[in-house]
Amino acid sequence: MLPLDGGEARQVGGSQRELQALMQWSPDGRRVLLSARTPWSEDADDATDGSNRPWVVTHLPWKLDGSGPQVGHRTVLLAMDVDSGDEQILVCGDFDVVEAAWSPDGKSLAYVRTRDGSQRHRMDLWLADGDGGNARLLTDGLASIAGITWSPDGRTLALGGTVTEGDSLSLLWLVDIADGSLRRPADELQLEGSTIVWHPDGDRVATLAARRGLQEVVVVDVSSGAVTRVDDGLQHAAALCAAGDGLVFARAGISAPVINMESHSGTSDSGYYVDPYSMDGEVDDAHERYRRLSPLSYADDIRTPTLLLQGEDDQRCPLGQSEELLARLVRRSKAPARMVVYPGGTHLLAGTGTPSHRVDYHRRLSRWLRGALD
């Protein structure tokens, strides 16, 4: 911990758990809310104190991009006293706590957790006392939840979420604390990220929204749903070459692709439920559709020099997807192909990878595309 006016950092506590995220200061400034991993036995033969434990998989997703295996441990919610370092477990069980927030008065605790059972990609919103007691399910009407934020009066939670599992378009939702009812103040607003900020008067929220490929700061009136754009200028742009009303590339730069829908559905951390949603059917029921909509089916027609940029540890769009395309191009196409694999890189390596990898990634991509315009 660092003092705001500068000075040396000091360690807070000496937790034996694997700390994951610092979520919030308590309203009185005495504690911090954080998540941590704690060992968990998946079956009778799974010894938590063993070295080099095998991964015992009984549920999906068993791995997540950027987080690794999701078995052999569970994510619990802790409160840590910043003076003494003492820890208090607030929420724990056969599930993972994803995020949490104390109410403005500190008397209530809202948290998002995965479900138990064999499929754990859906999330539910729970409400408890400030110390984690008297927990109750607030709503199970959403498939994914992110960015829970209390209104100043503590009566409402704003959050981003989706209704249909597999749908990646996050919408703005308001949850009534009294009865758990959900409503969308702005039907067509698609969130970019999960940052939501309430105005002190509680009548509007600010957030980032996605519109026509751009990222905009918007303010939403929570009663009327009126959306005000703070800046109509470009806030997110990509370097493209215009040709009339279209776009032309003389070279292709591909980052973490989905090339084969069938193999992706069984190897991606989210493919087992996202792909059936996007393909409108399970693999066994729609083989022809999966193949027809897989870019790999058309790889023999590629004539464009192709650069593949890929994180080695990408669990969302695994390395095998890029490898399949590279092998097809090398064997069947006359187009030059190059693959660059970043050791330890995840699906988000372009934005959150190591500094040297990010520099290399963007330098290679810009030089490759500039070559198309020379």
Side-chain angles (χ1 to χ4, degrees):
M1 182 178 298
L2 281 168
L4 289 177
D5 57 356
E8 293 296 323
R10 68 177 180 87
Q11 180 176 335
V12 178
S15 181
Q16 300 302 306
R17 299 179 178 88
E18 181 183 350
L19 302 182
Q20 296 293 294
L22 195 160
M23 299 178 179
Q24 183 191 18
W25 281 89
S26 63
D28 62 11
R30 297 177 179 178
R31 298 180 298 166
V32 289
L33 191 64
L34 48 86
S35 59
R37 285 181 173 178
T38 189
W40 188 275
S41 294
E42 302 293 349
D43 62 21
D45 297 318
D46 186 19
T48 60
D49 58 351
S51 60
N52 198 25
R53 293 169 60 193
W55 294 327
V56 180
V57 180
T58 61
H59 65 261
L60 295 177
W62 77 272
K63 59 181 179 178
L64 285 178
D65 182 66
S67 300
Q70 301 298 294
V71 295
H73 56 77
R74 296 293 183 269
T75 302
V76 303
L77 188 66
L78 305 173
M80 179 180 289
D81 187 288
V82 295
D83 291 326
S84 67
D86 292 340
E87 300 175 9
Q88 177 189 3
I89 296 180
L90 303 182
V91 181
C92 65
D94 186 12
F95 51 80
D96 292 312
V97 177
V98 180
E99 64 174 285
W102 274 305
S103 60
D105 61 7
K107 295 180 179 179
S108 297
L109 173 70
Y111 61 93
V112 180
R113 46 154 285 195
T114 61
R115 296 183 176 180
D116 53 17
S118 61
Q119 296 190 50
R120 304 189 176 196
H121 52 275
R122 292 188 68 99
M123 303 174 189
D124 295 327
L125 180 62
W126 287 68
L127 185 69
D129 295 341
D131 61 1
N134 298 315
R136 64 179 176 90
L137 177 65
L138 190 59
T139 180
D140 59 0
L142 298 174
S144 65
I145 302 171
I148 57 173
T149 309
W150 287 86
S151 62
D153 62 8
R155 296 179 179 179
T156 307
L157 282 168
L159 53 86
T162 61
V163 175
T164 306
E165 60 183 52
D167 188 356
S168 61
L169 298 180
S170 182
L171 305 175
L172 178 64
W173 295 87
L174 299 177
V175 184
D176 188 284
I177 294 298
D179 60 12
S181 59
L182 288 163
R183 71 179 180 91
R184 281 172 29 202
D187 288 343
E188 303 302 321
L189 190 68
Q190 297 178 5
L191 301 191
E192 181 65 35
S194 59
T195 301
I196 303 171
V197 179
W198 283 87
H199 189 275
D201 61 17
D203 65 357
R204 55 197 187 274
V205 296
T207 187
L208 285 176
R211 185 174 72 100
R212 298 177 181 177
L214 305 180
Q215 296 175 193
E216 302 177 320
V217 178
V218 298
V219 176
V220 182
D221 186 297
V222 297
S223 296
S224 69
V227 177
T228 303
R229 292 181 171 84
V230 175
D231 185 350
D232 288 330
L234 291 177
Q235 296 186 31
H236 181 117
L240 302 174
C241 176
D245 59 358
L247 298 171
V248 174
F249 288 93
R251 295 189 177 193
I254 304 174
S255 177
V258 177
I259 295 300
N260 185 334
M261 294 303 302
E262 291 187 277
S263 62
H264 181 267
S265 67
T267 56
S268 167
D269 61 355
S270 60
Y272 70 94
Y273 68 95
V274 171
D275 292 351
Y277 169 79
S278 61
M279 293 291 102
D280 194 27
E282 299 289 341
V283 176
D284 292 342
D285 301 325
H287 279 296
E288 190 280 330
R289 187 183 308 134
Y290 275 69
R291 291 169 184 168
R292 175 167 51 85
L293 296 177
S294 292
L296 190 65
S297 298
Y298 309 96
D300 291 357
D301 299 326
I302 294 177
R303 300 291 182 268
T304 302
T306 302
L307 172 67
L308 293 160
L309 301 170
Q310 179 73 48
E312 177 192 24
D313 293 337
D314 188 337
Q315 301 297 335
R316 189 63 38 84
C317 299
L319 174 59
Q321 294 292 304
S322 287
E323 291 176 322
E324 285 191 65
L325 180 56
L326 179 68
R328 182 66 66 88
L329 291 176
V330 170
R331 294 285 293 179
R332 302 292 295 272
S333 174
K334 295 182 180 180
R338 181 181 305 169
M339 181 172 73
V340 182
V341 179
Y342 295 88
T346 70
H347 190 63
L348 302 177
L349 74 91
T352 62
T354 63
S356 62
H357 284 176
R358 279 181 279 163
V359 169
D360 184 87
Y361 176 101
H362 292 288
R363 179 187 294 130
R364 286 181 183 276
L365 183 59
S366 62
R367 286 178 177 174
W368 187 263
L369 295 179
R370 277 203 304 271
L373 306 178
D374 293 340

